[in-house]
Amino acid sequence: MAEPIRDEPSPVAVGNSDVVFGGKVWDIRRDEFVYGDHLIIREYVDHTGAVAVLAMDDEDRVLLIQQYRHPIGARDWEIPAGLLDVEGEDPLAGARRELAEEADLAATDWSLLSDFQTTPGGSNEAIRVYLARGLSATPPFARSEEEADIVTAWVSLDEAVEGVLAHRLANGILGHAVLSAFAARAKGWDSLGPADAPWTRHPRLRG
């Protein structure tokens, strides 16, 4: 039987690597490296990585949040998520923090739903999506800036998937999360991983 297709790590030796723009949230990095017989220069967003949480209740409803996103000039529907911008913070701890800060929720049951890269041609951003169950309320968090007027909605997983397929919901993390959960549920959830699984696809957390 043929081996299933899979992504293959293929590190190259990087010569010069410089931050050409240092931003408030992330940087633009320029790398110079040899690939095959070619000297290549590439610029990309050097990203901290992020975690996201698909919170699901006992009725298979998932929590969606709506907030303003300036680059697209819209209030889109998302799931709780945030940058790994706390030095040394464990990704699962970051996910717990984001769930409390953006949704006023805690969870007792955490599983790894999916790891993915958003735009590997232009960014090293890696995202880990957790499935959180066993939910309970936490004290309201004092939100500010774009998060100050977050709106929340509980919708069935089926409705969320239909919103993606009907092109009403376009957020990439939301789409990836609900479609992954829909497929995982169809397989009896046996594709879920432990919440503390090594994050080998994150460029800063390999192993």
Side-chain angles (χ1 to χ4, degrees), residues 20 34 37 54 58 68 71 78 81 97 110 136 139 145 157 159:
V20 295
V34 174
D37 297 328
L54 187 66
D58 294 339
Y68 175 69
E78 309 179 355
R97 173 174 52 81
W110 290 83
S136 60
E145 299 180 334
L157 179 60
E159 180 182 345

Side-chain angles (χ1 to χ4, degrees), residues 96-180:
R96 294 181 187 276
R97 173 174 52 81
E98 292 296 337
L99 184 62
E101 290 182 1
E102 295 192 348
D104 301 328
L105 289 174
T108 58
D109 183 2
W110 290 83
S111 301
L112 170 58
L113 180 61
S114 178
D115 288 334
F116 73 105
Q117 278 117 5
T118 54
T119 50
S123 170
N124 61 3
E125 181 182 19
I127 294 180
R128 170 158 284 192
V129 184
Y130 294 93
L131 179 66
R133 294 177 286 193
L135 304 172
S136 60
T138 59
F141 188 81
R143 289 180 275 273
S144 62
E145 299 180 334
E146 294 98 332
E147 297 178 350
D149 58 353
I150 280 179
V151 174
T152 63
W154 287 95
V155 303
S156 70
L157 179 60
D158 292 342
E159 180 182 345
V161 168
E162 178 56 31
V164 173
L165 297 180
H167 318 296
R168 296 192 305 271
L169 302 175
N171 181 272
I173 300 176
L174 181 153
H176 186 93
V178 300
L179 291 170
S180 294

Side-chain angles (χ1 to χ4, degrees), residues 41-84:
I41 297 175
R42 290 290 180 266
E43 295 168 348
Y44 58 94
V45 176
D46 192 9
H47 200 284
T48 62
V51 289
V53 184
L54 187 66
M56 179 179 288
D57 68 11
D58 294 339
E59 300 174 25
D60 279 6
R61 296 183 307 167
V62 296
L63 177 71
L64 306 187
I65 64 173
Q66 186 190 55
Q67 63 177 309
Y68 175 69
R69 291 301 190 184
H70 186 69
I72 62 172
R75 291 179 54 82
D76 72 341
W77 286 99
E78 309 179 355
I79 61 175
L83 299 173
L84 289 172

